[in-house]
Amino acid sequence: MYREFYRLREAPFNVTSDPAFLYLSPTHMEALDHLRYGIEQRKGFLAITGEIGAGKTTLCRALINRLDSRTRVALILNAVLPEIQLLDAIAEDFGIVPARHTKGALVRAINRFLLEQLSQGNNAVLIIDEAQNMRPSALETVRMLSNLETEKEKLLQIVLVGQPQLKEKLDLPELVQLKQRIAVRFHVRALSEQEVACYIKHRLTVAGAPGELVFMEGAIQAIHLYTGGIPRLINILADKALLRGFVKETFIMDVDHIRTCIKELEGETET
Ligand SMILES: Nc1ncnc2c1ncn2[C@@H]1O[C@H](COP(=O)(O)OP(=O)(O)OP(=O)(O)O)[C@@H](O)[C@H]1O
Ligand SMILES: [Mg+2]
């Protein structure tokens, strides 16, 4: 709606995880480094946690873009699947056609695929997003897939990505074996005030925003305070700010402007 007014090529604050807008804040960069290290060193289990909207799915996509062609990847976005459907989804993502859709046949087909990859010098990664929603039985099945190993390394690297409840789930007594196997962990933290400023600037630049369009220091402070540095909330508020800015025909986002937007988002009808 406001794109033409601000001469933007694209909407800068969409709430999708478009890799073109990726901003590698220190915490996102560190998360990626941990993931790449764990995968390249074939560490087996890796766990990434972070608050709702902190950028975990965005990280998964960024990771996939950064893995080399010798790394085969399966990405599971629907973690609530029951065991067989989960195995089916994993097989399908790896391009495996199982003989039958039973648990045994699927596990054998996946294991065969992993051995083939090993013989070709390839690595294999299974990324499970929203892993906090997985059933304990599904987590246990995934652990069994990770059992295949040589003397030195794991054949399948498994990345569990989830909200902080994932940590609690991994504390369940029946999952102690899995928990012990997690070799790399990282918690994606929220952005600092300075990082919020860089984040907003980055997204505006990618969207082709002109130099006159600015978020003032006070505005950044108010955004940081309201959103707690959570990217999805920043996007929602910044999008609102641009929409209101367009209505008011201004290129300057100052603290009062942001405060009014916050009130509007909170449902107080002041304009
Ligand atoms: N590093 C980043 N660079 C650019 N945009 C980001 C970054 N991190 C998050 N975002 C943006 O924030 C929004 C939420 O990110 P994302 O969906 O990755 O969060 P999430 O942690 O997976 O959330 P949930 O817990 O709900 O699954 C998206 O619009 C995404 O584009
Ligand atoms: Mg997500």
Side-chain angles (χ1 to χ4, degrees):
M1 213 169 145
Y2 52 68
R3 262 175 51 194
E4 213 169 302
F5 176 71
Y6 288 119
R7 308 191 294 280
L8 297 163
R9 274 195 306 271
E10 286 178 81
F13 297 108
N14 273 342
V15 287
T16 54
S17 39
D18 182 350
F21 281 92
L22 181 70
Y23 166 63
L24 282 178
S25 74
T27 190
H28 290 108
M29 180 74 116
E30 231 182 300
L32 266 183
D33 286 346
H34 275 75
L35 286 167
R36 288 171 70 178
Y37 163 79
I39 290 167
E40 280 160 21
Q41 299 299 313
R42 297 182 182 247
K43 290 288 185 185
F45 267 104
L46 291 72
I48 298 287
T49 51
E51 294 297 332
I52 300 174
K56 301 179 296 297
T57 301
T58 306
L59 269 174
C60 293
R61 301 211 183 274
L63 171 70
I64 293 172
N65 288 341
R66 280 166 175 72
L67 293 173
D68 62 27
S69 57
R70 304 214 73 125
T71 308
R72 306 289 301 267
V73 184
L75 170 65
I76 303 296
L77 295 168
N78 181 5
V80 283
L81 291 174
E83 224 177 349
I84 303 269
Q85 276 97 321
L86 179 70
L87 288 168
D88 243 340
I90 295 168
E92 194 184 328
D93 240 43
F94 277 135
I96 302 167
V97 183
R100 279 173 302 131
H101 294 271
T102 59
K103 184 174 168 185
L106 283 159
V107 171
R108 277 194 299 280
I110 293 171
N111 283 347
R112 221 174 14 250
F113 166 83
L114 295 173
L115 288 166
E116 257 167 47
Q117 298 311 311
L118 179 74
S119 69
Q120 293 166 13
N122 292 346
N123 196 352
V125 185
L126 166 62
I127 304 173
I128 306 185
D129 196 8
E130 310 261 7
Q132 78 278 356
N133 294 331
M134 282 176 86
R135 300 159 195 231
S137 62
L139 278 165
E140 189 51 25
T141 305
V142 163
R143 183 186 67 77
M144 278 167 42
L145 288 181
S146 86
N147 279 346
L148 209 60
E149 58 191 6
T150 66
E151 276 161 26
K152 292 211 174 78
E153 52 202 12
K154 291 282 184 185
L155 266 49
L156 177 63
Q157 320 317 317
I158 300 172
V159 184
L160 299 176
V161 182
Q163 291 168 8
Q165 304 95 284
L166 175 62
K167 285 187 197 159
E168 288 154 35
K169 189 156 263 181
L170 294 175
D171 280 334
L172 291 174
E174 63 260 45
L175 294 176
V176 62
Q177 279 186 295
L178 194 165
K179 190 180 172 185
Q180 278 189 1
R181 282 169 172 72
I182 299 179
V184 176
R185 296 155 199 268
F186 189 78
H187 184 79
V188 181
R189 60 166 176 77
L191 303 181
S192 68
E193 191 179 310
Q194 199 197 350
E195 288 160 5
V196 170
C198 296
Y199 175 85
I200 289 179
K201 185 120 204 347
H202 176 80
R203 293 195 76 110
L204 286 173
T205 307
V206 174
E212 311 101 273
L213 176 55
V214 283
F215 282 71
M216 307 293 282
E217 210 180 306
I220 297 290
Q221 255 173 22
I223 293 172
H224 179 248
L225 194 67
Y226 178 72
T227 63
I230 295 293
R232 185 181 293 124
L233 299 177
I234 300 171
N235 282 15
I236 292 168
L237 180 51
D239 178 66
K240 173 89 186 157
L242 292 186
L243 182 60
R244 186 170 185 277
F246 157 68
V247 174
K248 301 279 168 196
E249 297 189 7
T250 178
F251 276 63
I252 308 289
M253 307 295 133
D254 62 16
V255 62
D256 290 336
H257 182 83
I258 298 297
R259 283 196 185 129
T260 309
C261 292
I262 292 171
K263 278 188 195 150
E264 284 181 13
L265 283 175
E266 294 287 304
E268 293 171 38
T269 51
E270 189 188 319
T271 47

